[in-house]
Amino acid sequence: MALKVAIVGRPNVGKSTLFNRLVGKRLALVDDRPGVTRDRRYADGNIGDMDLTLIDTAGYEDVTDESLEARMREQTEAAIDDAELILFMMDAREGVTSLDRIFADRLRKVHKPIILLANKSESRESGGGVGEAHALGFGEPVAISAEHGEGMADLYQAILAASADIFIEEVEETDKPIRIAVIGRPNAGKSTLVNRLLGEDRLLVGPEAGITRDSISVDWEYEGRAIRFVDTAGMRRKARVQEKLEKLSVADTIRAITFAEVVILMMDKDNAFDIQDLQLADLVEREGRALIYVASKWDLEEEPQSRMAKLKAMAEDKLPQLKGTPFVALSSHSGRGVERLMPAVLKAYDTWSVKVKTKDLNTWLSMATQRHPPPAVDGKRIKPKYMAQTKARPPTFVLMASRAEAMPDHYKRYLVNSLRESFDLPGTPIRLIVKSSGDNPYAEGGAKSGPERYKGDAKTAPRRVKKAKEAEERLSNLPGKALEQKKTRKHQPKVVSGVKASSSKKAGSSIAVQKGARGGARQVSRSGRIRTGQKHAPKK
């Protein structure tokens, strides 16, 4: 098991920056303004050859009332109690402040090894702050720069020396947990639901909207199965998201949906399935994740049965691509109906991971096409031939058919809905890929046709074939211009254009005009001779 290390300090000293550097990812949100981090976040990291379980905490505030800062302080104190080693961070540029001294007095009561870090020590102005840090009474401060990665070797030596007397218990690795993301609009009760399931105040909650900023993952065990809940920030409509910090929170929520396996969509019972809820559900379907609808604050509903019927009808009407998605109505505050959530989640996960036998698929395909044959497109019918499941999570099927590119979308939807009903796959996204069965592989140029071989002239060819070949050879022997004229010229029969109306038919008078070989007109006598002399030639 890795060493548990908590990073604590007053707001805006760089705790999340160091957390991200040791984890190796930008998990925690980082911004210049103070108070960005509110919940405590756990993640696995390392420094050198040491494995660490890092705890990022909110900035320590000296407040004990019912405000949000007081609740953030409770989360920080819980992280201190859970950690085995504490990294107390201060800002070397600003020096030691009164809040640093108050927090140092609080840490002296903790009987755990503490390492003092002077962050932001990359500049010359930080030298005085590092010297002031000795007054806190935690020994020699370690000068680091979490932003630029300076002083990590000194930090490794300090952690190695401080953890020499800490016994790290070896724990067997459990099975891979089921990742469940809880999403929804702000103030829908997501963190309250996770706390109710865990049985403790693990996440920061309150009446204020938008308390959660980071996507916080929490490990849990339910009936012997490892569960990892990911509580996300509330997502408003894109047009209303203007601040940089809220954009980072939304991007973190989308990343949580991408890496989740089951997504719980929390909705207020009075405003369920508005535009934002529909967009979130569509995003989950496009990502291919199992989905659970949850209507919160159900203890305030006066007519639960009729309201549930309306919500289910609304889901079927507005989200037909997720037909049959489980619907759970509960109250996170009172705990009413919470016991029905996890069985629905596990059933949705098993449905999302289902695998169908190829034999059963093709039997179903035959019955489905007989009940509703594919349409004829451009006068040619599409013929489905073979079907198989290529992968699960989500279930993905490949259908081999002739003229696959011409299969209309409405027939694909019919096949998906029939698949969902026949194999009991309610609510899970189904991917159907239609591919062409291909051409004959043994045809010329096919995959199995082999190399093309030379076929010589046939010795017993028909006479018309031989004559056509001889004519083609004679044509190819002509000069270039004559060959071109020969190819373009068409055969035209000789046409008698007219007869002279003269009553005297003298010998030698022309009676018809024919078209000559060069296109000019020639005179023909009654005897059939063609006059070649000039018309007005002088007599000898």
Side-chain angles (χ1 to χ4, degrees):
M1 186 176 179
L3 178 67
K4 277 190 178 180
V5 179
I7 307 174
V8 300
R10 62 180 178 83
N12 204 25
V13 295
K15 299 182 296 297
S16 297
T17 305
L18 179 62
F19 176 84
N20 288 341
R21 178 165 292 280
L22 296 179
V23 171
K25 303 176 185 176
R26 292 184 62 87
L27 290 183
L29 299 184
V30 177
D31 196 69
D32 294 335
R33 72 181 70 179
V36 173
T37 304
R38 290 175 174 175
D39 283 283
R40 67 182 191 268
R41 175 197 281 268
Y42 289 72
D44 294 330
N46 59 75
I47 181 169
D49 56 353
M50 294 184 61
D51 293 332
L52 306 175
T53 298
L54 297 161
I55 310 175
D56 186 25
T57 62
Y60 187 85
E61 297 280 0
D62 188 22
V63 183
T64 56
D65 54 8
E66 298 297 327
S67 63
L68 179 61
E69 288 77 12
R71 281 173 275 158
M72 292 165 58
R73 170 180 171 168
E74 293 176 359
Q75 293 288 325
T76 302
E77 292 180 347
I80 294 173
D81 296 336
D82 191 22
E84 298 169 331
L85 176 67
I86 298 173
L87 300 180
F88 177 29
M89 182 178 290
M90 51 87 62
D91 192 340
R93 294 178 184 173
E94 297 183 8
V96 178
T97 63
S98 59
L99 191 57
D100 289 329
R101 295 187 180 94
I102 294 173
F103 195 21
D105 294 337
R106 167 69 179 85
L107 291 178
R108 287 191 191 97
K109 301 176 183 178
V110 179
H111 300 288
K112 294 180 181 180
I114 299 173
I115 299 175
L116 179 60
L117 303 181
N119 192 28
K120 306 179 184 179
S121 301
E122 69 275 4
S123 61
R124 296 180 179 179
E125 293 81 3
S126 60
V130 175
E132 293 179 7
H134 290 83
L136 295 176
F138 294 107
E140 181 72 22
V142 180
I144 66 169
S145 174
E147 179 70 23
H148 302 284
E150 297 179 5
M152 293 297 110
D154 297 335
L155 177 59
Y156 168 73
Q157 294 296 334
I159 293 177
L160 191 63
S163 62
D165 299 332
I166 299 176
F167 174 71
I168 301 175
E169 183 182 0
E170 295 293 334
V171 179
E172 296 182 0
E173 293 185 1
T174 59
D175 297 334
K176 190 176 181 181
I178 301 174
R179 297 187 298 273
I180 303 174
V182 185
I183 66 172
R185 288 176 293 161
N187 206 21
K190 301 180 290 297
S191 301
T192 308
L193 174 63
V194 176
N195 286 343
R196 173 64 63 176
L197 290 171
L198 298 178
E200 60 175 318
D201 293 335
R202 170 63 182 82
L203 301 172
L204 191 64
V205 296
E208 302 91 351
I211 291 179
T212 305
R213 285 175 173 171
D214 295 84
S215 295
I216 308 298
S217 61
V218 183
D219 290 335
W220 185 49
E221 186 173 339
Y222 176 78
E223 295 183 355
R225 303 186 71 169
I227 305 293
R228 177 170 293 170
F229 280 110
V230 182
D231 182 32
T232 63
M235 294 181 64
R236 298 193 298 168
R237 295 177 62 180
K238 189 175 181 180
R240 298 180 181 178
V241 179
Q242 302 293 337
E243 295 185 1
K244 173 189 173 183
L245 192 58
E246 188 172 1
K247 291 181 180 179
L248 294 175
S249 300
V250 171
D252 205 19
T253 301
I254 295 175
R255 184 175 61 180
I257 295 174
T258 304
F259 288 99
E261 295 171 329
V262 181
V263 177
I264 297 175
L265 177 58
M266 292 282 295
M267 298 176 290
D268 193 326
K269 64 178 183 62
D270 296 326
N271 299 318
F273 295 109
D274 69 344
I275 296 177
Q276 183 66 8
D277 292 333
L278 295 177
Q279 290 178 349
L280 289 175
D282 183 64
L283 174 63
V284 173
E285 193 276 335
R286 285 187 278 114
E287 290 291 339
R289 305 294 179 253
L291 182 62
I292 304 290
Y293 298 137
V294 173
S296 62
K297 306 176 184 178
W298 200 251
D299 54 342
L300 304 177
E301 181 60 43
E302 299 178 355
E303 299 178 354
Q305 294 183 353
S306 61
R307 181 60 179 170
M308 176 60 68
K310 290 181 181 178
L311 290 178
K312 288 184 176 180
M314 196 180 300
E316 298 289 334
D317 179 46
K318 295 187 176 182
L319 295 167
Q321 68 271 29
L322 292 169
K323 186 177 181 181
T325 300
F327 210 117
V328 180
L330 52 84
S331 172
S332 303
H333 183 70
S334 64
R336 176 184 175 183
V338 176
E339 68 279 358
R340 296 195 299 266
L341 178 61
M342 287 309 299
V345 168
L346 295 180
K347 184 179 179 182
Y349 175 78
D350 295 337
T351 303
W352 185 64
S353 308
V354 74
K355 292 183 179 179
V356 184
K357 294 181 180 179
T358 303
K359 178 182 177 182
D360 298 339
L361 274 176
N362 287 280
T363 303
W364 163 84
L365 180 63
S366 177
M367 297 175 62
T369 52
Q370 288 179 7
R371 183 168 58 249
H372 185 187
V377 181
D378 297 332
K380 297 179 181 180
R381 187 167 294 278
I382 302 170
K383 298 179 181 178
K385 298 181 179 180
Y386 177 80
M387 192 172 189
Q389 184 178 1
T390 55
K391 67 174 184 177
R393 302 181 181 184
T396 303
F397 303 92
V398 174
L399 173 61
M400 308 300 293
S402 63
R403 307 183 67 240
E405 68 282 353
M407 181 175 287
D409 293 337
H410 67 83
Y411 193 76
K412 294 179 183 178
R413 288 194 295 270
Y414 158 73
L415 293 177
V416 169
N417 292 332
S418 181
L419 265 173
R420 197 185 301 276
E421 295 176 1
S422 301
F423 295 101
D424 193 20
L425 303 174
T428 186
I430 295 178
R431 303 287 187 259
L432 179 62
I433 302 172
V434 184
K435 292 185 177 181
S436 178
S437 56
D439 300 328
N440 183 6
Y442 294 96
E444 183 178 355
K448 298 184 179 181
S449 60
E452 185 177 356
R453 59 186 180 87
Y454 172 74
K455 299 178 181 179
D457 299 334
K459 296 181 180 179
T460 59
R463 184 178 298 177
R464 57 182 178 82
V465 176
K466 291 182 178 181
K467 287 185 176 181
K469 190 173 181 179
E470 292 175 358
E472 187 177 355
E473 289 179 355
R474 288 196 304 268
L475 187 64
S476 62
N477 292 331
L478 293 175
K481 189 173 182 180
L483 177 61
E484 185 179 352
Q485 292 179 353
K486 187 75 175 179
K487 287 182 178 179
T488 56
R489 191 177 65 209
K490 296 182 179 179
H491 174 71
Q492 295 181 357
K494 296 180 180 180
V495 179
V496 177
S497 59
V499 180
K500 288 186 177 182
S502 175
S503 58
S504 60
K505 298 182 178 51
K506 299 180 180 179
S509 61
S510 60
I511 61 171
V513 177
Q514 283 183 331
K515 189 175 181 181
R518 297 179 180 270
R522 291 190 177 184
Q523 294 180 347
V524 183
S525 64
R526 293 182 64 89
S527 61
R529 290 188 305 163
I530 298 175
R531 294 184 176 179
T532 57
Q534 294 181 1
K535 184 175 181 181
H536 302 287
K539 294 183 180 180
K540 293 182 182 180

